[in-house]
Amino acid sequence: MARPIIIDTDPGIDDAVAIFLAAASPEVDLLGIISVAGNVGLKHTSGNAAALADLLQLNIPLGKGADGPLWRRDTKPADHVHGANGLGGYALPQSDRVAEPGLELMARLIEESEEPVTLIAIGPLTNVAGLITFYPETARKLERIVLMGGGTLEHMGNVTPAAEFNIYYDPDAAARVFDSGLPITMVGLNVTNTALVGPSHLPGLAGSDGKVADITRHLLSTYRSKVEDNGTAQHDSVAVASVIDPTLIETKLLHVDIDNTGRLTAGQTVVDHEGGSGMTPNIDVALSIDLERFRSLLDTRLTALDTRLRGAAS
């Protein structure tokens, strides 16, 4: 049986690839997509989510969530990475879909699902914190929250030396989520920075004039974390892949806390690696990924999706 999922997202270059992967995978049943401000403003993230849903012919509801952090107003988007429109300048047709209020939709989808829902959060955690705050009983019905965010040791930050963007953007929301007691898997930079994918790793898309192939090539060429890297770090699609096939990543239950007060360390995921603090482990932390299997999964699923959509358009 396909695992019911909701994607909470701020599309976003790598968010788009993650949504492609979810839409192409029979192991998951995508119930809805909720947008949140993050990589770019909510106007663009919600518009991109709707445009991607149209492209993928997804007959699912869309939600429009938080337009900024819980209370901080000095956090900046990452449009210097993702471009002004969030998709590296790639222009999709504007959708005429009407998004529902995000928290209400998230709660309704969780309540209506016959099986417990996995919430995949690949943007800032503002919406998820809202669910926990305003719908606590519903939040407790989740099977798990799988989030892309944070990191360990030398891979803690990509915005500051201490903080990864999704956590840094709204550390107060992240602190609320990590302290919720819900089952959580953290897929952080220590794993996603190693999940490099370039065109050579997606041979099935080579030469295709399909939209999925075209967009993926554009996105992979738009952002490179380092010039010498053989590909683009696939942050958000790793989180989705870990739900499709949990054996792709190795995890360990550890205690993780969020620093939401430090002047230089706000947004840091403080991980008790050795268990020396005596604090109760609360988060399943991703430690490694089977890179070759992940690349193969991405290639086969995106190729099949591209082929299906080209066939539907002809």
Side-chain angles (χ1 to χ4, degrees), residues 257-308:
D257 205 346
I258 305 295
D259 182 354
N260 64 331
T261 60
R263 182 173 66 88
L264 299 177
T265 55
Q268 180 178 340
T269 46
V270 182
V271 182
D272 181 12
H273 294 275
E274 304 301 329
S277 69
M279 303 182 76
T280 303
N282 61 333
I283 306 292
D284 285 298
V285 178
L287 299 177
S288 65
I289 183 171
D290 187 327
L291 181 55
E292 293 309 313
R293 286 177 55 217
F294 168 70
R295 286 170 170 169
S296 177
L297 177 72
L298 207 58
D299 181 43
T300 56
R301 297 299 168 84
L302 266 58
T303 299
L305 179 64
D306 184 69
T307 302
R308 174 168 62 80

Side-chain angles (χ1 to χ4, degrees), residues 37-211:
N39 286 323
V40 287
L42 185 64
K43 173 184 176 182
H44 289 301
T45 62
S46 60
N48 290 342
L52 289 167
D54 283 351
L55 170 69
L56 299 173
Q57 302 174 7
L58 296 175
N59 185 23
I60 57 174
L62 306 177
K64 191 174 183 179
D67 64 358
L70 291 179
W71 61 267
R72 298 179 191 231
R73 291 297 176 261
D74 58 348
T75 306
K76 306 299 183 189
D79 49 6
H80 62 290
V81 173
H82 297 267
N85 76 339
L87 295 179
Y90 196 99
L92 288 170
Q94 184 175 345
S95 175
D96 59 4
R97 295 196 191 203
V98 177
E100 302 179 36
L103 285 189
E104 288 87 338
L105 175 60
M106 188 182 292
R108 176 168 63 82
L109 292 175
I110 294 167
E111 291 288 354
E112 290 180 353
S113 178
E114 294 183 2
E115 299 294 328
V117 171
T118 295
L119 176 58
I120 306 178
I122 53 177
L125 294 171
T126 317
N127 289 343
V128 185
L131 178 75
I132 291 167
T133 301
F134 296 107
Y135 299 92
E137 295 300 322
T138 300
R140 280 192 280 272
K141 295 179 181 179
L142 286 168
E143 179 178 37
R144 176 167 292 271
I145 297 169
V146 177
L147 63 92
M148 190 281 128
T152 67
L153 296 177
E154 70 272 18
H155 291 280
M156 289 189 298
N158 60 1
V159 178
T160 72
E164 177 275 332
F165 176 81
N166 286 343
I167 306 298
Y168 175 82
Y169 185 87
D170 195 348
D172 308 295
R176 190 172 301 178
V177 173
F178 276 63
D179 194 41
S180 67
L182 298 176
I184 295 172
T185 298
M186 183 183 90
V187 181
L189 295 177
N190 55 299
V191 170
T192 65
N193 276 342
T194 71
L196 298 177
V197 175
S200 65
H201 306 124
L202 304 175
L205 295 179
S208 171
D209 61 356
K211 279 289 187 182

